[in-house]
Amino acid sequence: MNRAFNRKKDKTWMHTPEALSKHYIPYNAKFLGSTEVEQPKGTEVVRDAVRKLKFARHIKKSEGQKIPKVELQISIYGVKILEPKTKEVQHNCQLHRISFCADDKTDKRIFTFICKDSESNKHLCYVFDSEKCAEEITLTIGQAFDLAYRKFLESGGKDVETRKQIAGLQKRIQDLETENTELKNKVQDLENQLRITQVSTSPAGSVTPKSPSTDIFDMIPFSPVSHQSSIPTHNGTQPPPVPSRSAEIKRDLFGAEPFDPFNCGAGDFPPDIQSKLDEMQEGFKMGLTLEGTVFCLDPVDSRC
């Protein structure tokens, strides 16, 4: 039963879109813990996880340990699990990673959701005791997922695409700066080698300083105000003709193609940003299943 979309059509969401978009909805609950599951969805999957965590919590309670209290903050940006006093974030579950959410119809306090871990990519099932607010929290997560998916379709994908293009341009500029630095170093090495060659081939004591009007290549320095006709001949030969402007556009002075920010192919985009975009699209397309079900049938598990 995909209750999220049924509820949306019936217009019986728990909160206004503004409350989840501009702020967050807080809930107090007890955190039974989380455990790894094999599948991202399924009643049997969460039933086994709840039984496992309830049994572990029952053992700890018999040893005098209390169930830790947490604060849930639900918004279109995800579900945060915080320590209620210090507000320290213990878990931050992004909505496109949450694939299944359910509440127990036989125990109004218990609800759970399955979220894919961002680091290990494992599916983790989180289980809570919420003092008869389980169904409301489940519906709030469903509404937040629905709003986040709409926002992603309307502008989220474009925002990610823009950031992807900017990152691609920045990477291209960085590569060009690195290439430019390497070429400058090569030019400097050639100049040093030329100086050493000129000194070693000149007769001893006959080295004369070069005229300040020429560079190390015995060439007249370039002046933007000088005209080609004013450059004198050297050794009886005419200087080479200046290449046309059309040829200069294709290549720069180092022989490389000039950078065009409007002609960056998809291959220039960093793969990490593309993978995040693909992950969000895949997560939202998978959808969020909201289901009311029976987690535990054993009387010993009915109480934590």
Side-chain angles (χ1 to χ4, degrees):
M1 176 181 177
N2 195 336
R3 193 167 61 196
F5 294 100
N6 292 339
R7 287 283 186 174
K8 180 174 71 69
K9 292 177 180 179
D10 297 338
K11 299 181 180 180
T12 55
W13 285 126
M14 303 300 300
H15 308 282
T16 64
E18 291 75 14
L20 287 167
S21 299
K22 298 180 180 179
H23 309 284
Y24 61 84
I25 305 299
Y27 288 99
N28 294 320
K30 294 180 180 180
F31 186 33
L32 274 66
S34 63
T35 183
E36 182 182 355
V37 293
E38 296 296 331
Q39 300 295 330
K41 297 177 182 287
T43 302
E44 291 295 331
V45 175
V46 294
R47 179 184 289 117
D48 294 340
V50 172
R51 280 183 172 177
K52 177 180 179 181
L53 291 173
K54 271 192 171 185
F55 180 77
R57 184 55 59 186
H58 184 75
I59 297 298
K60 292 182 179 180
K61 186 177 181 180
S62 65
E63 297 174 351
Q65 298 184 24
K66 295 183 178 180
I67 304 176
K69 296 181 179 180
V70 295
E71 177 182 325
L72 298 176
Q73 294 182 356
I74 304 174
S75 70
I76 63 172
Y77 302 103
V79 179
K80 290 184 179 181
I81 305 173
L82 299 87
E83 204 286 326
K85 294 183 179 180
T86 63
K87 302 300 180 182
E88 179 182 358
V89 178
Q90 299 177 351
H91 303 277
N92 187 8
C93 303
Q94 296 175 307
L95 289 176
H96 69 274
R97 291 180 173 271
I98 299 177
S99 54
F100 192 88
C101 188
D103 53 87
D104 188 351
K105 293 308 175 187
T106 63
D107 188 347
K108 298 295 185 180
R109 305 174 308 168
I110 301 299
F111 81 96
T112 179
F113 63 82
I114 299 176
C115 180
K116 188 177 182 181
D117 184 68
S118 59
E119 297 182 359
S120 64
N121 283 331
K122 296 179 180 179
H123 296 287
L124 302 179
C125 183
Y126 296 80
V127 181
F128 302 86
D129 182 324
S130 60
E131 295 294 337
K132 299 183 179 180
C133 293
E135 183 178 7
E136 180 178 341
I137 296 176
T138 302
L139 288 174
T140 302
I141 294 176
Q143 182 183 9
F145 185 95
D146 182 72
L147 292 172
Y149 184 41
R150 286 174 171 269
K151 182 178 177 63
F152 178 79
L153 292 178
E154 293 173 358
S155 61
K158 296 179 181 179
D159 292 342
V160 174
E161 185 69 22
T162 300
R163 290 195 297 269
K164 183 175 67 174
Q165 293 179 1
I166 293 175
L169 296 178
Q170 291 175 342
K171 183 178 182 298
R172 178 63 173 158
I173 292 174
Q174 183 179 1
D175 292 342
L176 289 173
E177 290 177 348
T178 302
E179 181 182 356
N180 188 34
T181 301
E182 293 176 352
L183 290 173
K184 286 182 179 179
N185 293 334
K186 290 181 180 180
V187 171
Q188 184 64 40
D189 292 340
L190 290 174
E191 291 178 352
N192 295 335
Q193 293 177 8
L194 182 60
R195 289 194 187 97
I196 295 173
T197 303
Q198 290 177 341
V199 172
S200 61
T201 56
S202 299
S206 62
V207 178
T208 57
K210 291 185 177 293
S211 172
S213 61
T214 60
D215 59 15
I216 60 172
F217 298 104
D218 201 21
M219 300 286 290
I220 297 177
F222 170 73
S223 175
V225 298
S226 61
H227 193 270
Q228 181 180 356
S229 60
S230 63
I231 301 177
T233 60
H234 185 70
N235 296 331
T237 61
Q238 293 291 335
V242 178
S244 62
R245 184 61 181 172
S246 60
E248 291 180 355
I249 296 178
K250 298 180 180 179
R251 300 283 177 176
D252 59 17
L253 75 164
F254 297 111
E257 295 183 2
F259 171 59
D260 185 359
F262 300 101
N263 191 25
C264 267
D268 295 330
F269 297 154
D272 56 336
I273 296 181
Q274 181 62 49
S275 64
K276 290 180 181 178
L277 175 61
D278 295 339
E279 178 199 341
M280 293 183 68
Q281 290 175 335
E282 180 181 356
F284 280 125
K285 286 181 179 179
M286 179 185 292
L288 172 64
T289 301
L290 272 69
E291 186 170 329
T293 185
V294 176
F295 295 142
C296 302
L297 302 178
D298 300 334
V300 70
D301 294 333
S302 62
R303 295 293 177 181
C304 296

